[in-house]
Amino acid sequence: MSFHSVRSEQPEGLAKQYLRNLRRRDFLAGAALIDGCWVSSQHTDVVVDPATGDEIADVARCNAADMSRAIAAAEQAFPKWRALLPARRGAILRSWASLLLEHSDELSILVTSEQGKPLEEARHEIAYGAGFLEWFAAEGERAYGETIPSHKVGSLLQVRMQPIGVTAAITPWNFPVAMITRKAGAALAAGCPMIVKPAVETPLSALAVARLAEQAGVPRGVFQMLVGDPVELSASLLRDPRVRALSFTGSTQVGRLLLQGAADTVKKVSLELGGHAPFVVFDDVDLDRVIKGAMAAKFATSGQDCLAANRIYVQRGIYDAFVEAFAAAMARLKVGHGLDPATDIGPMTKLSVANKCRIQIDDAVAKGAKIISTKPYGDLGANFVAPTLLSDVTEQMLVAQEETFGPVAAVLPFATEEEVVARANSNEMGLAGYVYTDDLRRALRLSEQIECGMLGINTASFTGPPIPFGGWKQSGLGREGSRHGLAEYMELKYVCFGDLAA
Ligand code: NAD
């Protein structure tokens, strides 16, 4: 079974060539990690290069019985893992991070081969991913509780943070390494075992991360990874009361299903779902700086990023100049295979994402938007989408309503601050936002008024291990990274010591 349906006319190749020379052959074994053993299966799924449709590997397809074994192994591993000193758990996480960095070249090749992003961005993802393991290695030592001034005579009131138990993660294909380490770093530092089900499109880099976890000394059953049918595997996780917490990154649609499924066993659920970031440009800004920010906020990960600027609101006074300069910058983007060092924009990982971009472009044009720039790239294949600049977009168009997740930039004119705040907040998503203005008082006002979990003021670069990553409204629940990320895998326990009077 293949989860992709693309086949292009490109000569076969780049990914296969790179993978043939991969030093760590075990990274291509395609076996799942269950209870400390590498498990193959007679049933396999094919991994393809999204740029060419080439089949590049097979991975074991795990089933519900495999998941049940993994849950039992995690439960067995829990008492010993939680009893380790946090510093000891931290040391293991740090060696895992070092191994990721040591194998950055090979991991990046795997990411680009199965996900499609340019190799340089894949390298950046490995460093970003290792950063979460390092951050949580230290943060695990700071899971302080509280002492509460007592409201009862002769009593001492304490609040402790204790690991929640067996945890699970379902991760996406756009950041196939970093979304695993962001979740597992926190869970393991908190003292919890974690079972990961990576995206079916990108299991190779995920399984390589699991190989490195084992090499770093993560004990048997503490970190496990199973690839397979998402519905079957997630159903096993959801209905099992031994799994106490579930963390998911992906679409809002699947996030809702998981939230419903977790209700029967009342699991703690963290959801990092879709975004629809407003990118607001006032006419007092320096054009060069804002174009640099808009390019980064729109085209990182070829647009397949939940932080991507989906609605670029530009004030009338700077609108024409912005559109002209943005089109000129976009014209310099090179579309191609992610393993070609010249590439800025790779293929969409899934054909459905490429098709969604095309539907949004057609819908916008039918409703009056103008295509200002579209970059021809030849016949690379159905998963490629030309970087496209749409101007005069309105909120009636699909592109301004649904997450795009591709290299389509929608620009909307606005007149006043009051108007743009209302329009920016008119979407049900509330993950990230961006505001560009040189007026300090206005920046402070907007920082209070924009409804989102993360806001960049005069910057498009703000993510990283120390910040609480997460969204408002239908963009999710809970936070990842930062000290708040650790709390997702911990329970509070209030203890009252009474009758202490001598
Ligand atoms: P998705 O939500 O289907 O996939 C994400 C993860 O969920 C993968 O591991 C997948 O195997 C799993 N999954 C899929 N269906 C499931 C089900 N019924 N039950 C349990 N797990 C399931 O996302 P997608 O369809 O691949 O992408 C669609 C859109 O989702 C994108 O266009 C984008 O808007 C959004 N998305 C967001 C992020 C993010 O970083 N927040 C990541 C990926 C996709």
Side-chain angles (χ1 to χ4, degrees), residues 57-336:
D58 294 313
V59 292
R61 188 190 311 158
C62 298
N63 57 27
D66 297 320
M67 187 56 91
S68 184
R69 267 197 307 133
I71 296 168
E75 202 184 36
Q76 205 175 356
F78 178 45
K80 235 171 141 179
W81 182 247
R82 72 178 289 184
L84 279 188
L85 286 178
R88 182 70 202 115
R89 290 197 295 262
I92 294 175
L93 289 175
R94 278 192 196 91
S95 18
W96 191 7
S98 304
L99 285 166
L100 249 67
L101 296 174
E102 211 177 283
H103 291 83
S104 173
D105 285 348
E106 285 158 302
L107 291 170
S108 318
I109 288 167
L110 291 173
V111 168
T112 298
S113 299
E114 61 185 357
Q115 199 279 342
K117 67 176 75 175
L119 197 54
E120 200 44 45
E121 288 191 9
R123 278 204 191 94
H124 183 260
E125 179 182 347
I126 308 306
Y128 178 60
F132 287 106
L133 298 178
E134 280 162 3
W135 168 269
F136 282 114
E139 202 56 21
E141 296 190 60
R142 298 181 198 127
Y144 304 128
E146 296 168 19
T147 302
I148 301 174
S150 185
H151 61 310
K152 291 182 179 295
V153 176
S155 298
L156 177 65
L157 316 184
Q158 271 188 355
V159 180
R160 298 193 195 144
M161 288 179 80
Q162 296 192 323
I164 193 166
V166 174
T167 66
I170 299 179
T171 56
W173 41 263
N174 58 340
F175 283 89
V177 169
M179 294 305 97
I180 291 173
T181 56
R182 190 157 79 184
K183 295 177 195 303
L188 268 56
C192 302
M194 175 168 264
I195 301 167
V196 176
K197 191 219 76 63
V200 284
E201 294 79 10
T202 54
L204 295 179
S205 46
L207 290 167
V209 168
R211 294 253 167 199
L212 297 175
E214 185 188 46
Q215 197 177 328
V218 176
R220 171 179 186 167
V222 171
F223 183 77
Q224 302 177 85
M225 188 173 288
L226 291 81
V227 190
D229 178 69
V231 176
E232 181 180 354
L233 295 184
S234 66
S236 304
L237 287 169
L238 288 170
R239 69 170 162 257
D240 199 312
R242 294 172 295 180
V243 178
R244 304 292 175 192
L246 172 72
S247 176
F248 169 74
T249 297
S251 61
T252 297
Q253 195 187 359
V254 172
R256 269 190 213 108
L257 289 175
L258 296 175
L259 192 57
Q260 282 163 4
D264 281 348
T265 51
V266 196
K267 294 187 203 313
K268 192 167 186 180
V269 179
S270 320
L271 302 172
E272 201 270 276
L273 307 176
H276 207 285
F279 186 103
V280 181
V281 182
F282 286 92
D283 59 14
D284 57 7
V285 292
D286 174 77
L287 194 58
D288 288 346
R289 269 198 301 132
V290 77
I291 293 294
K292 224 169 137 194
M295 290 296 289
K298 182 70 248 182
F299 295 108
T301 330
S302 309
Q304 301 172 109
D305 194 321
C306 51
L307 299 179
N310 226 105
R311 291 164 288 152
I312 302 174
Y313 291 104
V314 184
Q315 203 166 19
R316 288 264 180 222
I318 200 176
Y319 187 80
D320 291 339
F322 177 91
V323 169
E324 191 183 333
F326 199 25
M330 282 176 60
R332 291 191 285 275
L333 292 173
K334 183 164 183 319
V335 180

